[in-house]
Each structure stands twice: as structure tokens, then as C-alpha cells.
Amino acid sequence: MPRRKRKSQEQFSEASRTLPRAKGKKNRVLIVEGGGMRGAFAGGVLAAMNRWYPSRRFDLVVGVSAGSCSAAYYVTESPNDLEATLKNLNVWRYELSDGRFLARRRLLGKKTVMDQNYLIDHLFGSRYRLKKERLDNPRSTPLFVVVSNLSSGKPEYVRATAENALPLLKAATALPVATKGRSNLGNEMFTDGAVTDPIPVEAVIDAGYKDITVVLNHPRSYITGRTGRLLSFLSFPYNKSMARFVRHEYHIKYNRAKEVINHPPPGVKIRIVDPPMSLPMKIVTTNEQILNQVVDMGLEAGRKAFEKMQVEKRRFRRWITGLFRKRQ
């Protein structure tokens, strides 16, 4: 066991922890926002995208919190395997609503409200097995997951590999209050990436990416208010600097990202896929009917956004073909 732990630590230390620079025309990136159970919307969007706009169309995929889980399936599932794609959606539709994953009554005991072992080890590791070996395939689009380093208080962008995928997703979904709010990766402690970089659009622009698609779980017009003093403390009672960041900085970073998304800088194109209205749920909603409704909203939003794109591409190709024929 100690040898396996050392190997895991070495694998993490060797993994890339910053976003790769865009190279020439390879500057297409997908960002998937988190949001706890609101991630059901992004799950639906990515399932539709796997049919109409598979991950190979991007040069990089970046997932945040719950969004990193759906992004992992998106990157590793074959676009031709519709059955597997729809089966994986059952995680959102049925597996998170019966109390095994999330139960508020656990607040009264020693267990956490959210059972990450059930989510990551059982569901992703076994029942709906994530094909994590495909993350190491050179032909697969690189997946980077945002995590927050509890020592530095900074976001890190870690490349997912076959070796680190499951522990990385545990760190990415270490939602404060609902979980212990911390998880080990190598020799360091991390928490949910959404705490320090909820929508990493500025990070990908700084890395040189110009063609950006963002999947949001709130409408594009949504902005957040300042986190309350009590919630900030409860989020990180053991880490005063992180509690202060949540209280004083989080809302600024989130709203600044929304400003960039809605008004991108010159030379940057941003495509937004978002719900047409506020989702009828909260971050810990487990009602099965609502979860299915939100998944279906995501499927429809993804289909509309990318089916239209495919139609426009076909029209453009026909126009180009007709142009060449006329010249002949």
C-alpha cells in the first residue's frame, strides 16, 4: 500500500498543473462550469455535444467542480456510442436522488452530507465506469481539471490521466460544507476548483486560446452576490485565508468572468451554451423529477447550439463547392 501511495504522489507531481499554451490555430477550448447538482444541465449539454460536436473538435477541455465529471465522460466516450452516452446520463437522472449520495440528515452525525466515495469510487469507478485509460491516448483531447490549492490559495489546472483521474475528481468536487472541503493529491491538500476560479475564462485567454465555448449552469446574465460571513466561515473553518477569499474575493472573480464571457476582448470569440432561465433547483437539490427536467433542458440546449452549427457548416461547404464549380 505505501508503494502504491508513493506512485500516486509521483504521478501527480509529474502531471501538468498549468494550462498548456495554445499553438497556432490549435486554440479551441471548452470550459464546463460547475455548480453542484446544477451540473445536471451541463451533463445534458455534453451528452448532446457528444453527438453533434464531439470532444475531438476542441484542442483543450477544462472542467470545474461538477462540470469536470461530465467533461471527463465527454472526453472519454466515443461519439458513435450513443447507448453509452445516454447510460452515463443516468448518473444525473437516477443515481443521485435516493439519499446514498447526498443526505442532509448526515449533518447531525460524523458523516459528510455528500458521499464522494459513492460518487467517485462506486459510480465513476465501477457502475458507470469512466474509461480513464483513454485520457492517456494521444488522440484524445486533453482534459484539465481546476482545483484550489489550500496552501497557496491559488487555482491549479491539473491534466487528468488514467492514473490520477478519480482522485483528481474527488479533489475537484470537494464542495465546502457538503464534504470535508479538502482532498489529498500527492502530498498537498486541495478543495473544489470553483472556489478560486469558478469559470476559468481569463486563464484560457491568458494561455492564448481565441475560440472558446463555455457551458454555464446559470443564465449568462446571472451575477452572484457577496458570500455571507457565516457561510464563508463554515466553508473553511480550518483555513482563515480561504474563508476570507470566499467572503471578499469569490463574487468578484465570478462576476468578472461573466463580464469577459459577455464582452470578450478583441480577437476572442466566445460561444455560450446556457439555460434560458434560472434552473428550478439549488446546489444540493436531489428531487429526481427536477433532475430529469434539468438534464432534458441541457440536452435540448446542446442540440440547438451545435446542430445549428453543423447545418451552417454544411451550407458553407455547399457554397464553396458551388463556387469552384462555377469557376470550372
Side-chain angles (χ1 to χ4, degrees):
M1 185 64 69
R3 291 180 62 185
R4 181 176 296 180
K5 186 175 181 180
R6 283 198 299 271
K7 181 179 179 182
S8 175
Q9 291 171 348
E10 290 169 3
Q11 286 283 346
F12 175 70
S13 64
E14 293 169 2
S16 176
R17 295 164 70 174
T18 58
L19 294 177
R21 297 288 305 175
K23 297 179 181 178
K25 293 183 179 180
K26 292 187 175 183
N27 61 14
R28 297 167 299 175
V29 61
L30 169 68
I31 299 172
V32 188
E33 184 188 13
M37 302 301 281
R38 294 189 189 98
F41 178 81
V45 170
L46 294 187
M49 285 175 62
N50 202 38
R51 166 67 178 85
W52 297 103
Y53 207 85
S55 61
R56 64 172 179 265
R57 300 288 184 90
F58 294 102
D59 302 301
L60 181 71
V61 175
V62 182
V64 184
S65 193
S68 61
C69 300
S70 295
Y73 281 107
Y74 175 63
V75 167
T76 56
E77 280 299 344
S78 168
N80 299 319
D81 195 345
L82 181 60
E83 182 179 352
T85 298
L86 294 178
K87 178 185 175 184
N88 292 335
L89 271 183
N90 288 341
V91 172
W92 288 109
R93 289 190 184 279
Y94 309 115
E95 299 289 354
L96 306 181
S97 60
D98 62 2
R100 286 180 291 177
F101 168 58
L102 198 155
R104 294 180 183 86
R105 65 178 180 273
R106 295 188 193 131
L107 280 170
L108 302 176
K110 294 183 179 180
K111 294 183 178 180
T112 58
V113 173
M114 184 185 296
D115 188 344
Q116 287 185 289
N117 292 330
Y118 174 75
L119 176 68
I120 306 297
D121 298 331
H122 176 62
L123 294 182
F124 298 168
S126 177
R127 186 171 176 82
Y128 300 86
R129 194 183 78 83
L130 178 70
K131 299 179 179 68
K132 56 184 187 294
E133 63 277 2
R134 294 183 179 177
L135 293 167
D136 293 344
N137 188 327
R139 294 185 178 181
S140 295
T141 302
L143 169 65
F144 279 73
V145 175
V146 186
V147 289
S148 301
N149 190 309
L150 284 171
S151 295
S152 68
K154 303 292 185 183
E156 294 189 6
Y157 312 89
V158 182
R159 180 164 184 175
T161 65
E163 184 71 27
N164 73 10
L166 296 185
L168 180 57
L169 291 177
K170 270 190 180 179
T173 57
L175 186 68
V177 182
T179 73
K180 293 179 180 178
R182 56 190 185 274
S183 185
N184 282 95
L185 283 175
N187 293 316
E188 297 175 88
M189 199 75 76
F190 292 84
T191 189
D192 191 327
V195 172
T196 54
D197 199 354
I199 312 175
V201 63
E202 291 180 288
V204 301
I205 291 174
D206 289 343
Y209 294 88
K210 305 292 186 183
D211 189 341
I212 303 169
T213 298
V214 183
V215 177
L216 301 174
N217 290 316
H218 284 289
R220 65 192 70 185
S221 60
Y222 172 83
I223 58 173
T224 188
R226 188 178 184 181
T227 307
R229 192 184 304 276
L230 178 61
L231 181 57
S232 301
F233 169 74
L234 292 176
S235 296
F236 296 101
Y238 53 86
N239 191 319
K240 291 183 179 180
S241 63
M242 289 298 288
R244 283 195 297 269
F245 183 91
V246 171
R247 170 71 172 155
H248 299 290
E249 302 292 335
Y250 171 80
H251 65 291
I252 296 174
K253 189 141 191 176
Y254 182 92
N255 294 338
R256 192 172 67 214
K258 278 296 189 68
E259 178 67 20
V260 172
I261 289 169
N262 287 303
H263 304 95
V268 175
K269 178 177 69 174
I270 297 183
R271 180 186 301 110
I272 307 170
V273 185
D274 61 336
M277 63 191 78
S278 294
L279 297 176
M281 65 190 311
K282 296 182 179 180
I283 198 169
V284 292
T285 295
T286 56
N287 181 285
E288 186 175 303
Q289 184 177 353
I290 293 176
L291 286 169
N292 274 276
Q293 178 186 348
V294 171
V295 167
D296 289 338
M297 288 173 65
L299 283 167
E300 182 64 9
R303 184 190 67 79
K304 283 184 176 179
F306 293 94
E307 183 182 33
K308 180 180 179 181
M309 186 184 301
Q310 294 302 315
V311 170
E312 290 174 352
K313 281 189 174 183
R314 285 195 291 269
R315 287 176 179 169
F316 179 74
R317 286 171 184 165
R318 284 198 296 267
W319 178 76
I320 289 290
T321 302
L323 194 64
F324 277 109
R325 283 176 180 170
K326 287 179 180 179
R327 288 182 177 178
Q328 292 175 356

